[in-house]
Amino acid sequence: MARAHLDALDEKLARLRATVARYRERLADLDGVTVPFTDEEVGRGGHFAFPVVVGDRVERDRIRARLTERGIQTTFYPVITDLAVYERAGREHPCPHAVDFSARHMAMPLATVMT
């Protein structure tokens, strides 16, 4: 099974990278939206998700709700210091940039079957 997946890896990565390039192209001039990473980094990436960064949590949640209404699933990831394993260390956030990013990012759908 692993061999079959490895045989298709280059083709699947090419499809993911092409979808990421289209996302980047279409979102590039959208006010208030930041698309992280450079074209060079995109060309080397494995891409399990497509991150987008907006102004704040309220804006992110508003955009996610509108996309959900259209049947488009997005997700976001909590700042790692909010995970239960860190409870012993308290809830103070020693990484303010990570906290900020966590509140403003969302991951758009990305799959090898997308066109």
Side-chain angles (χ1 to χ4, degrees):
M1 188 161 88
R3 179 68 183 169
H5 284 285
L6 285 174
D7 289 344
L9 182 61
D10 289 338
E11 179 184 338
K12 288 181 178 186
L13 283 174
R15 280 190 259 154
L16 288 171
R17 289 172 181 156
T19 302
V20 167
R22 284 191 300 275
Y23 264 134
R24 290 176 57 76
E25 180 182 306
R26 294 182 118 179
L27 297 174
D29 296 325
L30 197 57
D31 286 338
V33 174
T34 300
V35 179
F37 309 112
T38 66
D39 288 338
E40 181 181 335
E41 291 167 322
V42 167
R44 293 189 319 250
H47 308 292
F48 76 93
F50 182 77
V52 174
V53 182
V54 297
D56 59 29
R57 180 184 305 265
V58 172
E59 181 71 3
R60 181 203 60 199
D61 293 347
R62 184 186 68 76
I63 293 168
R64 289 187 71 224
R66 296 216 36 217
L67 290 171
T68 297
E69 289 171 4
R70 291 175 170 85
I72 301 170
Q73 179 181 346
T74 63
T75 191
F76 65 93
Y77 300 95
V79 65
I80 196 166
T81 53
D82 278 352
L83 300 178
V85 70
Y86 293 97
E87 284 183 6
R88 290 188 306 270
R91 290 289 181 183
E92 292 186 31
H93 293 288
C95 306
H97 294 293
V99 172
D100 176 61
F101 181 80
S102 176
R104 299 184 308 118
H105 86 283
M106 63 183 164
M108 301 295 291
L110 184 63
T112 59
V113 296
M114 291 176 68
T115 58

